[in-house]
């Protein structure tokens, strides 16, 4: 294995990947605009899916806590030796996160999509099935078999903007937003 070229040089000469650092600010801006458009009656939530799910199911917290206690008891008798190091795990630099976008009122919540992304595109968006069915009448991109999840690949920031604007044309989303507004006016 005595090649004249250094294969690592190619790694550093690769073109830069399209970063996903614009996803969170983009959707947070949509959350803000939704609240403004509804006079604060309908709100958006964009957060880590695990955090949102944890608030929805308190039993999940209890089970998770019990599991942690049991694993600590089991591992208490085991001694692990590792070299001392202040180095951080570089795998965390390429960690993928799973976020969800929900529309909420004081009484209702509707999960529009989840999106999983790492530091670079593509990102994977999973849409609500009903929205997907409605959008499939307009756009081929949203056509899926009934048994398939509605997974959309987001290629870059422009594609994210395009998909979000297409989602705003969903009959189901339009109906739910208007119904939440009507419900908020009736409870005032």
């Amino acid at each position: 294995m005595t090649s004249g070229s250094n294969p690592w040089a190619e790694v550093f000469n690769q073109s830069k990947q399209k970063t996903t650092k614009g996803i969170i600010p983009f959707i947070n801006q949509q959350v803000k605009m939704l609240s403004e458009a509804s006079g604060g009656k309908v709100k958006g939530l964009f957060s880590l899916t695990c955090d949102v799910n944890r608030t929805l199911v308190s039993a999940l917290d209890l089970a998770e806590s019990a599991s942690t206690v049991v694993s600590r008891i089991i591992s208490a008798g085991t001694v692990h030796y590792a070299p001392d190091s202040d180095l951080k795990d570089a795998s965390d630099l390429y960690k993928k996160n799973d976020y969800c976008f929900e529309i909420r009122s004081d009484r209702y919540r509707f999960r529009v999509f989840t999106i999983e992304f790492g530091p670079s595109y593509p990102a994977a968006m999973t849409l609500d099935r009903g929205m997907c069915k409605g959008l499939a009448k307009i756009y081929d991109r949203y056509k899926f078999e009934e048994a398939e999840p509605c997974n959309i690949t987001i290629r870059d920031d422009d594609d994210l903007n395009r998909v979000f604007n297409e989602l705003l044309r969903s009959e189901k989303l339009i109906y739910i937003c208007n119904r939440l507004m009507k419900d908020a006016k009736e409870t005032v």
Side-chain angles (χ1 to χ4, degrees):
M1 296 197 111
T2 56
S3 172
S5 66
N6 182 341
W8 286 98
E10 273 187 55
V11 170
F12 296 109
N13 290 327
Q14 293 287 323
S15 62
K16 299 235 184 217
Q17 298 169 328
K18 293 179 182 176
T19 178
T20 58
K21 67 183 177 184
I23 291 177
I24 293 173
F26 173 82
I27 299 179
N28 282 336
Q29 181 63 29
Q30 298 300 319
V31 166
K32 182 180 175 188
M33 290 190 299
L34 171 61
S35 182
E36 288 171 358
S38 70
K41 292 178 176 78
V42 180
K43 297 175 179 68
L45 171 74
F46 183 62
S47 189
L48 288 169
T49 303
C50 63
D51 291 344
V52 174
N53 289 347
R54 189 173 291 124
T55 63
L56 298 174
V57 182
S58 58
L60 191 65
D61 287 336
L62 182 60
E64 201 172 6
S65 299
S67 171
T68 303
V69 169
V70 169
S71 67
R72 284 185 185 156
I73 291 170
I74 291 171
S75 66
T78 308
V79 178
H80 299 280
Y81 293 100
D84 291 337
S85 174
D86 291 333
L87 297 176
K88 296 177 183 176
D89 184 357
S91 291
D92 292 342
L93 297 173
Y94 201 80
K95 181 179 173 185
K96 289 192 174 193
N97 290 304
D98 187 9
Y99 284 79
C100 65
F101 176 68
E102 292 186 355
I103 293 175
R104 295 177 167 204
S105 69
D106 290 338
R107 294 178 42 188
Y108 296 101
R109 57 177 276 281
F110 171 61
R111 184 163 294 177
V112 179
F113 62 81
T114 60
I115 185 168
E116 182 182 45
F117 59 94
S120 59
Y121 280 104
M125 182 183 283
T126 304
L127 301 177
D128 169 78
R129 167 69 58 192
M131 286 181 56
C132 216
K133 280 182 178 180
L135 290 169
K137 296 173 188 173
I138 307 169
Y139 308 102
D140 288 341
R141 182 178 199 167
Y142 301 97
K143 291 182 179 174
F144 294 94
E145 295 296 323
E146 191 63 37
E148 289 181 282
C150 298
N151 292 334
I152 306 294
T153 300
I154 307 295
R155 295 179 298 276
D156 55 30
D157 287 343
D158 290 337
D159 196 29
L160 175 65
N161 187 46
R162 183 174 25 266
V163 167
F164 207 91
N165 284 307
E166 290 169 356
L167 296 179
L168 296 178
R169 292 184 183 95
S170 161
E171 289 176 32
K172 183 175 181 179
L173 181 66
I174 292 167
Y175 175 83
I176 288 174
C177 285
N178 283 293
R179 181 65 193 268
L180 295 180
M181 269 299 279
K182 182 180 176 202
D183 187 60
K185 289 177 184 175
E186 290 174 358
T187 58
V188 173

